[in-house]
Amino acid sequence: DCDVRIREAQLAELMPWLRDGEVDLALATFPVHEPGIDSGPVLVSEARFLAVPVGHAFAGRDSVSVEDLATVTMLQLPDTLPDSLRADRTPATTPAGHPIRTGRTAATFQEMLTLVGAGHGVFPVGANVRRYYARPDVVYVHLHDAPPLQWGLLWRTDNATARVHAFGAAAYDLVSAHR
């Protein structure tokens, strides 16, 4: 009894769409700790990879460590995204406290990959990106000691209707059946 429409939100649009009621639910990477925004359970968990330009020193390696991020420039997510998500995806320091150079900000995921391919920096992504965003100018290298990238549903706290919860439960049941 729901009218489900699938829409692709660009990076900078996600939270404004959710907050303004443009969408009732959003599938996004966690963590999102924002006032007025609730999240459901983790639906998908995947290994993290680092998108690097083809000619980069990391491009020929099987994997890199999160400590290696201290030697690169990290492209940034838009400031419309929650601080909790930006800190997880594009941290300012490595776990040992070494600073990570900040690079340019991209408004869309395609722009992010174009900046990577052009040599402006690197960006952490989930394993699925290797399949859906194969590019001749970008190599995806496993971040072997990074925590998994987690995905789930977000919704406005004041829009936590029975339908929103039912959709979240159905999504969880669907992915659980295919694990």
Side-chain angles (χ1 to χ4, degrees):
D1 260 354
C2 293
D3 180 20
V4 177
R5 296 182 190 155
I6 298 173
R7 297 185 62 194
E8 179 183 11
Q10 300 301 331
L11 295 171
E13 297 170 332
L14 178 65
M15 293 310 290
W17 278 12
L18 199 53
R19 289 200 182 283
D20 296 343
E22 181 81 18
V23 297
D24 294 318
L25 289 159
L27 177 64
T29 57
F30 288 168
V32 173
H33 305 297
E34 280 287 289
I37 301 295
D38 287 341
S39 59
V42 171
L43 298 175
V44 176
S45 185
E46 62 182 334
R48 289 189 200 220
F49 281 72
L50 189 64
V52 302
V54 154
H56 194 275
F58 292 170
R61 293 172 59 177
D62 290 333
S63 69
V64 293
S65 168
V66 291
E67 290 303 320
D68 290 324
L69 298 178
T71 67
V72 297
T73 299
M74 179 78 68
L75 297 173
Q76 300 297 299
L77 290 167
D79 61 7
T80 57
L81 291 171
D83 291 342
S84 55
L85 180 60
R86 290 175 34 231
D88 178 74
R89 292 293 295 276
T90 57
T93 62
T94 68
H98 302 289
I100 301 171
R101 287 187 305 276
T102 57
R104 294 171 56 180
T105 299
T108 70
F109 191 65
Q110 288 295 341
E111 182 181 335
M112 187 72 75
L113 293 178
T114 299
L115 289 171
V116 169
H120 292 284
V122 302
F123 186 72
V125 298
N128 75 73
V129 171
R130 297 172 303 157
R131 178 183 309 143
Y132 298 112
Y133 295 93
R135 295 175 56 111
D137 56 345
V138 176
V139 173
Y140 302 106
V141 183
H142 186 221
L143 276 165
H144 66 84
D145 55 352
L149 188 64
Q150 298 181 319
W151 293 81
L153 295 174
L154 305 174
W155 59 86
R156 286 186 333 276
T157 304
D158 65 0
N159 190 38
T161 65
R163 283 187 175 169
V164 166
H165 286 288
F167 188 93
Y172 182 79
D173 290 345
L174 179 66
V175 298
S176 294
H178 290 91
R179 287 187 181 149

